[in-house]
Amino acid sequence: MKKNMKHLFITAITTLLGLLVHGQNCDIIFSGKIVDFHNGEPIIDATVHVESLDIYTTTDLDGKFILKNLCRGPLKITFSHLSCETKTIEIDLIENLERTIYLEHHVEELETIVVKGAEVKKKTTAAQETIIKTDVIDDYSSGSLGDVIKQVSGVTSITTGSKIVKPVINGLHSSRVLVVNNNVRMEDQDWGIEHAPNIDVNAADNISVIKGAGTLAYGGDAIGGVVILEPKHPHLVDSLFGKTITGFQSNGLGYNISSSLHKTFESGWYANGVLGYKQNGDLKAPDYYLNNTGSKSFSASLQGGFKSFEKGFEVYLSHIDNEIGILSASHIGNTEDLVNAINNREPLVNEDFSYRIKAPKQDVNHTLLKATGFKRFKSFGKLNFQYDYQNNQRFEYDKRVGSDKNKPAVDLNLQTHSLRTDVRVDKLEGYIMDFGVSGRFQDNFANPDTGVRRLIPDYEKLDFGIYGIVKSYFNDKLTGDLGVRYDYNHIDAKKYYKTSRWEERGYDEDFSDIIIDDLGTQLLTNPKFSFHNISLSTGLLYNLNQKNEVSFNYSLSSRPPNPSELFSDGLHHSAARIELGDLRINKEISNRLGLSYRLNTKRIVMNLEAYFNHINDFIYIKPTGTEATIRGTFPVWEYFQTNAILTGIDASFDVLLSNNWNFNNKSSYVYGQDTKNDLPVIDIPSFRLSNTLSYSKANWKDLNIALNYEFVAKQNRYPDYSFETYIASSDSYVLVDISTPPAAYNLFNLSADATFDISNKMSLNVMAAVENIFDTSYREYLNRLRYFADDTGRNITVQLKFNY
């Protein structure tokens, strides 16, 4: 009986299993084809993996695959290939199914380079480009954009004191250097030497410095170069991380704090936020305080959006508010005081330390809003669309009394609306093509309620641009690009001129048709200008072997004059000088040649960059004398045009002396010549050299110690624009020497940092640095305040960086 029951039980189970197997219908076929998303070409030897069944197959010469004997139900299948982005799909099999799978393949990795082990995408193919990474940017958390990019050979700065720093690339600055923040071309009142970029470097994950017009996507007027700041890109994983940097500086008793937080989701959503604050009091030269050189800066940015391979969008909002004092001793009331200030080795105002910021000062805030989206199309490429809005409000305060004491002498509001669309076509093997069109409208309002004659008038400006760039990967050794851009610029201004100034400059003969109202002592005019500009950039990059490469780049750039160069007419209060533009000024045209060589071995990295830049109708400003006003007597600076040559060489050497010791050398030299007047060009950086000996020990708290030596030579090539002026108190003419450069100087700097693990998810980096160790007294040729005081002395910085 028991045997019969056992036999019946086994028979029942076998029958039931047979019915289940038959019910599952395990004869379903899943087949398809794997192709390149960019050009639709089949991908050979791609792997198809059914994870739950651990079944593998590969694609054939036509990119096809087939999986047989599959059962009904859900399956998770992964498709992968070398140099492709892995893709996973989930399907519910009911019957035979055929699919075409698109993988992203072979394009974007061609545009990457390796910097200290991290992949960073280059913006150009063959231009002279340097990328500054996060660890370097963090070291300058308390500084400015100009402070950070000075670490690149060939890049210096033109400053007003220590806190107003403008980048100078191969001798060119201001409107000739474009600053791009998170893919937005920054638009602010950048025409003044003492107008620094409104940028918080703590919001940048990396900074690209491109010498010359290496990229046409942002404009064709980058005669000097382009600086591109990029925030941290989202990684599509579930994560939450951030960092906080706080520091203290002994010179000026300054302090700063910056915090950033980043949240990403595997689904593609992400959000980033950055907050920062900096403040310092009066800075100090070795022998005295530099009164009224305090500053305050608040910055905030918020970024969020969605990103997948095929589509995405982003919204970005940033705001920065800067209040910056200007050395009290630099503001003089008459020519005699100016002569005394220049001839006196100490500032005429010498008081105790204070955090107070009083006139003369600047108060500038800048708001940026950006919305952007993209969509990739199969077998075609990528379409991007972007709108951005910027509001730049600049107040400049002069020393005033009575009811006007707290009223700004300059009140300018610049609003900018921009639209741009660009397309990347990457379906062709070995070629990438970028096309774009952009439009920009600006409205500048100069508030007349200041009670002071407006230096810059009201104006509206319209810009339109269209460009095309082709990048070609000829073979494993040779890469090249060619780009062309057309820009149309139109400016429509309303400006009052004193009748005496109008006639003195000969405008009554050349521009009588733009007068719209004659008020007797002054004229209301409506100057309108239109400029058509063609720009071009091309280059070749050739890899001689794995260690050596050479590149060549040529760029043609056209820069129309900015409103300051055209319309300036009066006292520029924060510069303490009268500035005069010229309605006859035409656009600059630059022809730049660049040649680079790079050696990269296990122990030596060397970069040599030479360039030749010929600029027709080069615009410059120079002193021409003095002029008496009701506010005192001030030097007069006028804009002129000439033809100029700027040529030079930038070099950097990085030598690994041993596993722990490293030596770095950077040097640069610029030769600037006014070929029309046979004079040196004004405000050209002198030869400079920087040597750094560093010690690192990665297996002990990532310890780094660096000793740096800087040498800056005297600029012996300068135009002598000194002039004589009448001094009433002595009834004599006195030479006003505002041309002779200061002496050469040497500086020594020391820094050290180490990283300590606090927990599995948190680390602390501690950095200490001493700038100008020996408290050397010196004056920098490109510091506008060198006439009145020495540069800053010794500064000790302590910084803590928490990563979490």
Side-chain angles (χ1 to χ4, degrees):
M1 184 70 179
K2 289 182 179 180
K3 288 184 178 180
N4 291 335
M5 290 294 294
K6 183 177 181 181
H7 179 72
L8 288 172
F9 179 75
I10 292 173
T11 302
I13 292 297
T14 303
T15 303
L16 180 60
L17 288 174
L19 290 172
L20 288 172
V21 169
H22 180 74
Q24 277 188 296
N25 187 20
C26 292
D27 58 357
I28 298 178
I29 296 174
F30 175 56
S31 62
K33 185 177 183 180
I34 300 179
V35 298
D36 187 334
F37 186 96
H38 300 283
N39 55 26
E41 294 292 323
I43 297 179
I44 304 169
D45 288 331
T47 300
V48 183
H49 179 208
V50 183
E51 296 184 12
S52 59
L53 302 177
D54 200 25
I55 297 174
Y56 290 86
T57 189
T58 57
T59 55
D60 59 19
L61 295 177
D62 296 319
K64 295 181 178 179
F65 66 90
I66 186 169
L67 295 170
K68 299 179 179 180
N69 300 323
L70 299 176
C71 302
R72 290 179 59 133
L75 286 180
K76 190 175 184 180
I77 305 175
T78 300
F79 305 88
S80 60
H81 185 259
L82 184 67
S83 299
C84 288
E85 182 179 284
T86 299
K87 188 171 187 176
T88 300
I89 66 171
E90 294 183 1
I91 58 175
D92 190 4
L93 276 181
I94 299 175
E95 57 187 4
N96 291 345
L97 183 65
E98 185 175 354
R99 282 273 188 95
T100 299
I101 306 299
Y102 294 89
L103 293 185
E104 189 254 344
H105 183 240
H106 80 62
V107 175
E108 295 192 347
E109 76 272 14
L110 297 176
E111 300 175 77
T112 61
I113 61 172
V114 175
V115 178
K116 294 185 178 179
E119 285 195 352
V120 182
K121 185 180 293 185
K122 289 191 70 175
K123 308 298 182 298
T124 63
T125 301
Q128 295 171 334
E129 178 179 356
T130 303
I131 298 176
I132 304 173
K133 288 297 293 172
T134 309
D135 53 349
V136 177
I137 298 172
D138 287 347
D139 289 344
Y140 293 87
S141 178
S142 63
S144 67
L145 175 63
D147 295 322
V148 177
I149 69 172
K150 280 195 298 185
Q151 309 314 305
V152 176
S153 178
V155 179
T156 53
S157 62
I158 191 163
T159 64
T160 301
S162 300
K163 292 300 179 180
I164 303 177
V165 184
K166 301 193 71 165
V168 179
I169 300 178
N170 293 153
L172 299 172
H173 58 84
S174 299
S175 297
R176 300 183 182 98
V177 175
L178 302 187
V179 178
V180 178
N181 181 20
N182 193 11
N183 209 45
V184 177
R185 171 173 167 152
M186 297 297 291
E187 297 289 345
D188 50 20
Q189 306 280 359
D190 68 347
W191 38 266
I193 286 178
E194 79 294 352
H195 297 183
N198 296 288
I199 292 289
D200 175 24
V201 297
N202 293 291
D205 185 60
N206 64 80
I207 301 174
S208 296
V209 180
I210 303 168
K211 299 170 184 176
T215 175
L216 298 179
Y218 306 103
D221 51 347
I223 290 177
V226 185
V227 180
I228 301 176
L229 298 93
E230 291 189 323
K232 184 173 288 295
H233 291 290
H235 299 287
L236 304 186
V237 294
D238 289 325
S239 67
L240 177 65
F241 61 96
K243 66 182 176 185
T244 295
I245 301 175
T246 184
F248 169 80
Q249 302 86 44
S250 64
N251 199 322
L253 299 181
Y255 54 91
N256 65 283
I257 185 169
S258 174
S259 274
S260 61
L261 193 63
H262 310 275
K263 175 61 180 174
T264 60
F265 298 89
E266 187 177 3
S267 60
W269 293 93
Y270 63 92
N272 302 325
V274 184
L275 277 174
Y277 182 77
K278 308 173 188 178
Q279 182 173 6
N280 68 273
D282 290 338
L283 301 172
K284 188 177 184 299
D287 300 319
Y288 44 78
Y289 282 106
L290 303 169
N291 298 124
N292 201 48
T293 52
S295 66
K296 297 177 185 178
S297 177
F298 169 78
S299 60
S301 64
L302 186 63
Q303 174 187 19
F306 171 82
K307 181 180 180 181
S308 68
F309 172 67
E310 294 188 16
K311 60 186 177 181
F313 72 91
E314 178 182 292
V315 177
Y316 177 78
L317 175 66
S318 72
H319 178 78
I320 186 167
D321 192 337
N322 294 322
E323 184 180 7
I324 306 172
I326 297 175
L327 181 71
S328 295
S330 69
H331 273 234
I332 38 83
N334 55 60
T335 308
E336 185 173 3
D337 288 344
L338 174 62
V339 173
N340 291 335
I342 293 174
N343 294 335
N344 195 336
R345 292 304 301 172
E346 292 191 5
L348 299 180
V349 180
N350 194 346
E351 301 172 351
D352 293 334
F353 172 86
S354 174
Y355 277 107
R356 184 185 177 192
I357 303 174
K358 54 188 178 181
K361 68 175 185 177
Q362 300 178 3
D363 192 347
V364 184
N365 61 76
H366 190 96
T367 300
L368 185 158
L369 173 65
K370 182 192 84 166
T372 185
F374 75 88
K375 170 68 177 175
R376 295 184 191 267
F377 297 92
K378 299 180 179 69
S379 300
F380 177 69
K382 180 180 178 183
L383 171 67
N384 295 281
F385 175 82
Q386 178 174 305
Y387 165 77
D388 57 81
Y389 166 76
Q390 298 177 69
N391 185 297
N392 183 263
Q393 180 69 61
R394 166 171 285 274
F395 298 108
E396 296 184 5
Y397 294 84
D398 199 2
K399 295 179 180 179
R400 307 177 77 175
V401 295
S403 60
D404 292 335
K405 183 176 180 179
N406 298 316
K407 184 182 292 186
V410 173
D411 180 352
L412 297 173
N413 179 254
L414 178 67
Q415 298 188 69
T416 306
H417 299 266
S418 300
L419 283 172
R420 58 177 293 177
T421 301
D422 54 79
V423 177
R424 165 162 289 191
V425 179
D426 50 28
K427 66 171 292 183
L428 302 175
E429 187 71 29
Y431 291 91
I432 298 176
M433 293 180 288
D434 292 301
F435 304 96
V437 59
S438 62
R440 183 166 53 249
F441 173 76
Q442 287 187 326
D443 181 15
N444 185 74
F445 174 68
N447 192 344
D449 296 334
T450 60
V452 176
R453 184 174 182 81
R454 290 178 286 180
L455 175 67
I456 300 295
D458 296 344
Y459 66 83
E460 293 181 346
K461 189 168 182 284
L462 179 66
D463 302 308
F464 170 80
I466 185 169
Y467 73 92
I469 302 172
V470 178
K471 299 179 182 179
S472 177
Y473 304 93
F474 300 109
N475 52 51
D476 292 339
K477 290 182 174 292
L478 184 63
T479 308
D481 64 14
L482 173 65
V484 179
R485 181 181 178 104
Y486 166 77
D487 284 285
Y488 170 76
N489 313 105
H490 178 75
I491 187 166
D492 185 343
K494 295 286 181 66
K495 177 169 176 56
Y496 287 94
Y497 279 96
K498 289 182 179 179
T499 304
S500 57
R501 180 84 76 192
W502 181 264
E503 295 173 349
E504 168 196 308
R505 301 189 68 79
Y507 292 162
D508 53 331
E509 297 181 5
D510 297 337
F511 299 100
S512 59
D513 58 321
I514 68 172
I515 299 173
I516 57 177
D517 196 5
D518 187 343
L519 304 175
T521 59
Q522 61 179 348
L523 304 170
L524 176 60
T525 65
N526 182 204
K528 297 180 181 180
F529 296 97
S530 296
F531 300 94
H532 301 271
N533 310 290
I534 297 293
S535 305
L536 182 146
S537 179
T538 186
L540 291 171
L541 172 66
Y542 184 72
N543 292 300
L544 301 171
N545 50 47
Q546 292 183 343
K547 299 178 181 179
N548 297 269
E549 67 178 33
V550 294
S551 62
F552 164 80
N553 178 265
Y554 165 74
S555 60
L556 166 69
S557 308
S558 300
R559 185 185 76 89
N562 63 42
S564 173
E565 294 160 341
L566 290 169
F567 306 126
S568 287
D569 179 28
L571 182 60
H572 190 179
H573 292 266
S574 65
R577 68 190 190 190
I578 293 170
E579 296 180 2
L580 299 178
D582 194 330
L583 296 176
R584 304 176 186 88
I585 285 182
N586 203 352
K587 63 185 178 183
E588 295 178 329
I589 298 179
S590 162
N591 286 271
R592 187 184 189 276
L593 297 172
L595 183 64
S596 303
Y597 167 72
R598 178 178 174 85
L599 170 68
N600 190 352
T601 69
K602 291 182 178 180
R603 291 195 172 273
I604 299 176
V605 177
M606 179 176 68
N607 284 283
L608 297 176
E609 299 175 342
Y611 59 90
F612 177 87
N613 196 353
H614 183 273
I615 306 175
N616 285 321
D617 292 323
F618 178 77
I619 304 170
Y620 68 104
I621 188 170
K622 72 174 185 179
T624 57
T626 60
E627 183 175 307
T629 72
I630 59 173
R631 299 190 56 77
T633 302
F634 296 91
V636 177
W637 290 64
E638 297 186 46
Y639 285 99
F640 295 90
Q641 283 190 286
T642 188
N643 295 329
I645 289 174
L646 283 84
T647 186
I649 187 167
D650 305 326
S652 65
F653 300 88
D654 211 324
V655 182
L656 183 63
L657 302 175
S658 69
N659 291 335
N660 301 110
W661 291 92
N662 190 83
F663 175 76
N664 174 267
N665 168 275
K666 291 181 294 187
S667 58
S668 62
Y669 174 73
V670 185
Y671 173 92
Q673 182 70 10
D674 177 343
T675 57
K676 183 179 291 186
N677 299 305
D678 194 24
L679 289 171
V681 174
I682 192 173
D683 290 336
I684 294 296
S686 57
F687 171 77
R688 55 196 61 218
L689 172 75
S690 174
N691 291 326
T692 303
L693 180 64
S694 58
Y695 173 84
S696 61
K697 195 170 185 178
N699 58 2
W700 194 90
K701 311 300 182 185
D702 283 333
L703 176 67
N704 297 284
I705 303 173
L707 176 65
N708 171 257
Y709 163 69
E710 294 181 51
F711 168 72
V712 178
K714 179 180 180 180
Q715 178 55 278
N716 293 313
R717 301 194 75 261
Y718 64 94
D720 189 356
Y721 293 137
S722 300
F723 55 87
E724 286 190 341
T725 189
Y726 178 71
I727 305 296
S729 61
S730 62
D731 190 24
S732 62
Y733 284 88
V734 177
L735 180 69
V736 182
D737 184 2
I738 57 175
S739 296
T740 303
Y745 60 88
N746 301 271
L747 299 178
F748 290 87
N749 311 293
L750 178 67
S751 65
D753 74 277
T755 302
F756 303 88
D757 292 328
I758 298 176
S759 67
N760 291 334
K761 296 183 179 181
M762 179 178 288
S763 66
L764 169 64
N765 177 268
V766 180
M767 184 191 77
V770 184
E771 299 171 86
N772 193 358
I773 294 174
F774 299 111
D775 208 20
T776 301
S777 297
Y778 72 98
R779 300 194 182 196
E780 165 59 44
Y781 176 57
L782 293 185
N783 188 341
R784 193 185 65 80
L785 302 186
R786 65 180 173 85
Y787 306 118
F788 312 105
D790 291 338
D791 271 83
T792 53
R794 183 188 300 115
N795 181 38
I796 301 172
T797 298
V798 178
Q799 179 175 286
L800 304 178
K801 178 172 67 173
F802 295 89
N803 290 297
Y804 43 84

